[in-house]
Amino acid sequence: MNVTAAPRYLILLLTLFTALFSYEAVLAHQPFFEDTDSTAGTPMPVSDPEISTALFSTLERPGDVDFFTFSVSARQTVEIGMTIPQIEGQDQFAPYIGVIASGLEGDTNPGLPADARALVSGQEGAIVLEAADATIFFEPFSRTAYWQRQRRRITFPVQGEVKVVVWHPQGSAGRYALVVGQREVSGGDPAFARKLKEYWTPVILQPSAESDSPDTALTDPTQEPQPSLSDSAGAGQSAPRCSWLTRLLAFLFGESELCQ
């Protein structure tokens, strides 16, 4: 090997290693997407509720209810929360979370939607996590911003299956990420970047025969992700420009447009 070329070779290896390490760090929360609508009969599973997992999901139509499930051991504590992507029109979008499990002490009438009330029977109890005031989170790699809403650590008294329900109390449609767990472990959907671009658009509501309301107007599904924070959170500030490392990372994974 040419001696003068050796440093460049080493720099390239170091750069690639750093980029791959950074990519894994970005996906440490293990993102997954609701590719098909989750229902009471086909809930979206979470393999390990201790590992920080973000379930990018959609309430696709007014009155839609999404279902998730995971298993716990006795006295296991799991953190559950809600993050809302800052997609146009979602600044007031605030779904509720219902948690159903054996031995769980909650409200006798927790206000669950009808699709979920049937899951509460026998020794099972339910807790409802109402929407909380939002805080802001900006993810630098994808240059996307989020509203972080309710979050709670729940200790489950007995071993068994936990059912998590997400709905909007006024029946609104929109996109959200259900967050389960705290321990950061790299992994998740390898097609994260591509799917995030498809996900980062307002929900399209088909017009009905009964109503021509502006709420049912079609939205252009080809619009790009919104790169800036909301006016209330980022007034006078612009989204940070991509660093050389982020640009390299985006190029390596075929997502160069994220840094344009």
Side-chain angles (χ1 to χ4, degrees):
M1 179 183 298
N2 189 305
V3 175
T4 59
R8 294 181 181 179
Y9 177 78
L10 293 176
I11 290 173
L12 178 59
L13 285 179
L14 179 61
T15 301
L16 290 174
F17 174 79
T18 303
L20 289 174
F21 178 81
S22 299
Y23 177 73
E24 288 191 351
V26 166
L27 297 187
H29 58 283
Q30 294 206 0
F32 294 95
F33 289 82
E34 182 192 26
D35 293 325
T36 58
D37 190 30
S38 58
T39 66
T42 58
M44 187 173 180
V46 177
S47 59
D48 187 340
E50 290 194 350
I51 293 177
S52 181
T53 305
L55 306 162
F56 287 81
S57 309
T58 302
L59 295 178
E60 300 174 349
R61 59 194 176 278
D64 188 18
V65 181
D66 286 344
F67 294 80
F68 307 83
T69 185
F70 56 83
S71 297
V72 293
S73 57
R75 306 303 303 168
Q76 183 174 359
T77 299
V78 177
E79 183 168 291
I80 299 175
M82 175 72 66
T83 299
I84 308 296
Q86 287 194 3
I87 297 172
E88 182 180 357
Q90 293 210 155
D91 55 317
Q92 299 300 318
F93 184 60
Y96 283 18
I97 302 173
V99 182
I100 304 169
S102 295
L104 200 61
E105 294 185 4
D107 297 334
T108 56
N109 182 18
L112 294 169
D115 290 354
R117 285 198 295 269
L119 301 177
V120 183
S121 61
Q123 300 299 314
E124 292 182 322
I127 295 175
V128 171
L129 309 183
E130 298 182 359
D133 293 339
T135 58
I136 302 299
F137 169 72
F138 186 82
E139 200 288 292
F141 171 68
S142 61
R143 302 181 69 212
T144 50
Y146 301 83
W147 291 286
Q148 292 183 329
R149 289 197 175 271
Q150 64 266 51
R151 191 170 297 267
R152 182 169 170 181
R153 289 171 58 83
I154 300 174
T155 299
F156 296 93
V158 299
Q159 179 179 348
E161 180 185 21
V162 177
K163 288 156 280 192
V164 179
V165 186
V166 175
W167 78 100
H168 194 282
Q170 283 76 48
S172 299
R175 306 199 190 276
Y176 68 92
L178 178 69
V179 180
V180 177
Q182 285 186 295
R183 182 162 56 90
E184 293 189 353
V185 177
S186 61
D189 193 330
F192 168 72
R194 174 180 60 79
K195 290 185 177 181
L196 185 65
K197 286 180 60 180
E198 297 172 357
Y199 171 88
W200 205 273
T201 59
V203 175
I204 301 172
L205 297 179
Q206 299 296 335
S208 64
E210 293 80 11
S211 173
D212 293 324
S213 167
D215 290 340
T216 61
L218 296 180
T219 305
D220 182 6
T222 61
Q223 72 179 53
E224 289 296 317
Q226 301 297 318
S228 61
L229 298 176
S230 66
D231 292 340
S232 61
Q237 300 181 8
S238 60
R241 300 177 61 86
C242 287
S243 65
W244 67 268
L245 179 58
T246 305
R247 289 179 180 276
L248 174 61
L249 176 58
F251 172 77
L252 289 174
F253 290 92
E255 298 296 336
S256 298
E257 62 271 21
L258 291 176
C259 283
Q260 292 180 356

